[in-house]
Amino acid sequence: MALSPEQLGSLRAAKLRSIVTTRSGPGDRTGGSFPRGAALLDAGTAWVLIDEAGPRSLGGVLAWARRAGADQVELVLSGTDESVAADLARRASQCTRPVTVTTDDATIVAGAPFPVVLDGPQDVDSLVETIRVSGCEVILEHGIIRGEWLGLEVCRIEGGALDVGVGKSDREIARLTHASMSASEAIAAVLAQIEGHRRAGAPFHPMRQLCRERWVRHQLLAEPALVGVSELAPIETTVARQNLREDHPALAIGHKVDGAPVLVVCTVGADLDVVPLAEDTRRARHPEATMVIVHPADLPLPGSVVSVGEWYGIEPTVIAVPPPWGAPESLPPAAL
């Protein structure tokens, strides 16, 4: 019989109390809830247990610890992939306050090295040109060449072949429905389906809501002066985006008029892992750069997102820019 969320929460809380008691002895500790885990505050130390942690779990942990008034963190991972655990440990090691990552059997997790930037597919110049001619932006990330329309991926070159579609399922369908089309015709067919939805002032639609961080970045690549830089180029993060629906900052590197490098971090909403991921990328790719977090003016940036920077001893500059999607011509029924 599957356990209810409440039962799972109670089990995780009991497990964490047992771990903390074993490692630190008995004590009067304050408990708290945490997604897929549990949390305890023990004399200035935040203990956080996470089951099957994802690669972007650290920011939420640091935010919880800050709210709890902790000055150090013990992150306990249970059932977590080893590579994910090592990635979290590397990012935790960059904090200026003590942040330790262990497994539930008390093994200290060593941080992984920075990931290598992969080259894109070779001998695909004609396909890349097809993407450009279609009006899409060409973005190379994690070894994949992507064609984006206003920040939304509509095609990709992977393994020397061009796939079209918005997301994995759409690409699989397109292989069948567009099999008789040329590459340019297939891209045009996808764009015909989304252009009316993904444009400034369009009515509310899922295609308008996806990957808005990248839509903001697209705007800044065309108008870098909006954030006070003379030029911008997109760069990949050290952690790959899992899917199109995931909140994931879009980064770009630029230079001020005086030549000083700037890492521009585009985000939308309450993504608590923005600073840890951006700082990891900055250290890996451009350690000399300062950090600027950019958000659309119609969606205020929660203070908790930026305050995570306290764990790294940094206070990023925050800039609001006009939302590239404008005001919708109509809202969904639930918002009326």
Side-chain angles (χ1 to χ4, degrees):
M1 180 181 295
L3 296 177
S4 68
E6 293 75 16
Q7 291 171 319
L8 277 174
S10 296
L11 284 176
R12 288 166 176 159
K15 179 178 181 179
L16 180 59
R17 285 191 179 277
S18 176
I19 289 173
V20 176
T21 299
T22 299
R23 298 186 193 180
S24 297
D28 184 17
R29 300 176 175 108
T30 303
S33 60
F34 198 85
R36 299 187 63 83
L40 282 175
L41 184 64
D42 179 22
T45 298
W47 291 80
V48 180
L49 168 72
I50 304 180
D51 280 338
E52 299 179 357
R56 301 199 54 217
S57 300
L58 183 60
V61 172
L62 299 180
W64 188 93
R66 180 185 177 276
R67 288 195 302 270
D71 52 23
Q72 61 181 5
V73 172
E74 296 281 346
L75 173 56
V76 183
L77 303 177
S78 178
T80 298
D81 181 85
E82 290 184 3
S83 63
V84 170
D87 179 79
L88 291 171
R90 179 189 69 244
R91 293 161 64 201
S93 70
Q94 298 163 4
C95 293
T96 55
R97 303 176 188 177
V99 181
T100 304
V101 180
T102 68
T103 60
D104 49 9
D105 64 359
T107 301
I108 296 177
V109 180
F114 289 119
V116 175
V117 177
L118 301 175
D119 294 328
Q122 302 299 306
D123 302 320
V124 292
D125 291 351
S126 62
L127 294 177
V128 171
E129 184 61 19
T130 297
I131 293 174
R132 286 201 177 97
V133 171
S134 74
C136 293
E137 194 169 32
V138 177
I139 305 288
L140 171 62
E141 289 182 343
H142 304 287
I144 300 172
I145 297 174
R146 309 170 195 270
E148 294 187 350
W149 173 263
L150 301 183
L152 180 64
E153 181 185 325
V154 298
C155 62
R156 61 168 55 187
I157 303 173
E158 189 174 13
L162 177 69
D163 273 344
V164 301
V166 180
K168 182 178 179 180
S169 297
D170 197 32
R171 289 194 298 271
E172 292 174 348
I173 294 172
R175 291 189 193 108
L176 299 175
T177 58
H178 299 160
S180 61
M181 296 182 180
S182 66
S184 58
E185 289 172 335
I187 295 174
V190 175
L191 290 178
Q193 295 174 354
I194 70 170
E195 284 178 317
H197 304 301
R198 197 170 181 86
R199 60 177 174 79
F204 183 90
H205 190 275
M207 289 296 177
R208 189 176 181 269
Q209 303 303 106
L210 290 173
C211 306
R212 288 187 293 174
E213 302 91 345
R214 302 172 83 86
W215 196 346
V216 171
R217 181 175 70 178
H218 170 83
Q219 173 183 241
L220 298 184
L221 293 177
E223 301 178 78
L226 286 172
V227 289
V229 300
S230 58
E231 57 182 348
L232 275 176
I235 63 169
E236 65 183 44
T237 54
T238 50
V239 175
R241 182 180 57 175
Q242 300 299 302
N243 57 67
L244 296 183
R245 297 184 182 279
E246 177 190 46
D247 289 335
H248 197 99
L251 274 54
I253 190 70
H255 293 83
K256 296 181 180 179
V257 176
D258 61 5
V262 179
L263 180 68
V264 175
V265 183
C266 303
T267 186
V268 175
D271 183 353
L272 295 174
D273 201 56
V274 164
V275 171
L277 179 55
E279 176 64 5
D280 192 45
T281 303
R282 187 192 70 81
R283 293 189 182 212
R285 312 285 182 247
H286 298 279
E288 73 285 359
T290 56
M291 188 188 303
V292 174
I293 297 179
V294 180
H295 69 95
D298 63 339
L299 295 170
L301 188 69
S304 54
V305 172
V306 181
S307 65
V308 172
E310 295 177 9
W311 288 92
Y312 295 88
I314 61 175
E315 186 176 354
T317 300
V318 178
I319 299 177
V321 297
W325 43 82
E329 294 175 0
S330 62
L331 296 173
L336 296 177

